């Protein structure tokens, strides 16, 4: 199997498990996270790690640009960032915008 998958939010709990699972199933996986370093975690699985800020569209150019079959998006602002109820709209709009930024940057 030579399917290529980019996983956004790969340093989170869900993203990390899915990234390593897909790699073990034979997919060529590219892990993307906001953390500066994955501390060698993905290297142990032979998965390249890209640290980038998904709010900065220019940084998407560092990712593989061709032959990608699937994009999985688990990145987003955590609800703890917006603990006050008045900020719920900001939380939802921020994550929605991030989703569309990811999708449109890879078209």
């Amino acid at each position: 199997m030579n399917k290529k998958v980019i996983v956004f939010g790969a340093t989170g709990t869900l993203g990390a498990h899915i990234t390593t699972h897909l790699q073990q199933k034979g997919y060529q996986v590219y892990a993307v996270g906001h953390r500066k370093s994955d501390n060698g975690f993905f290297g142990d699985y032979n998965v390249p790690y890209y640290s980038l800020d998904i709010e900065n569209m220019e940084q998407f150019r560092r990712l593989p640009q061709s032959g990608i079959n699937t994009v999985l998006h688990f990145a987003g602002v955590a609800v703890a960032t917006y603990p006050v109820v008045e900020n719920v709209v900001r939380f939802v709009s921020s994550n929605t915008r991030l989703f569309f930024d990811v999708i449109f940057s890879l078209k």
Side-chain angles (χ1 to χ4, degrees), residues 39-59:
N39 295 316
F41 176 79
F42 292 111
D44 292 344
Y45 293 92
N46 200 28
V47 172
Y49 176 70
Y50 296 85
S51 172
L52 60 86
D53 179 357
I54 64 172
E55 294 187 85
N56 182 342
M57 298 286 287
E58 292 297 314
Q59 292 185 13

Side-chain angles (χ1 to χ4, degrees), residues 8 10 18 25 28-32 34 37-39 48 52 54 60 64-65 86 90-91 94 96 99-100 103:
F8 286 88
I18 289 174
K25 291 293 185 183
Q28 185 173 349
V29 185
Y30 303 92
V32 180
H34 190 258
S37 170
D38 69 335
N39 295 316
L52 60 86
I54 64 172
F60 283 80
Q65 299 295 311
E86 290 81 21
R90 189 171 164 205
F91 166 74
S94 176
T96 302
F99 168 78
F100 283 107
I103 297 304

Side-chain angles (χ1 to χ4, degrees), residues 5-33 38 41-43 45-49 72 74:
V5 179
I6 295 178
V7 180
F8 286 88
T11 55
T13 303
L14 180 61
H17 286 290
I18 289 174
T19 298
T20 56
H21 177 77
L22 289 173
Q23 191 280 335
Q24 291 169 346
K25 291 293 185 183
Y27 291 85
Q28 185 173 349
V29 185
Y30 303 92
V32 180
D38 69 335
F41 176 79
F42 292 111
Y45 293 92
N46 200 28
V47 172
Y49 176 70
L72 300 176
F74 303 109

Side-chain angles (χ1 to χ4, degrees), residues 1 4 9-11 17 21 23 34-35 39 46 56 59 62 65 67 69 71 74 78-79 82 88 93 101 106:
M1 180 179 308
K4 296 180 181 179
T11 55
H17 286 290
H21 177 77
Q23 191 280 335
H34 190 258
R35 295 179 187 164
N39 295 316
N46 200 28
N56 182 342
Q59 292 185 13
R62 298 192 334 231
Q65 299 295 311
N69 301 97
V71 175
F74 303 109
V79 72
Y82 300 106
V88 170
S93 66
D101 286 351
L106 297 171

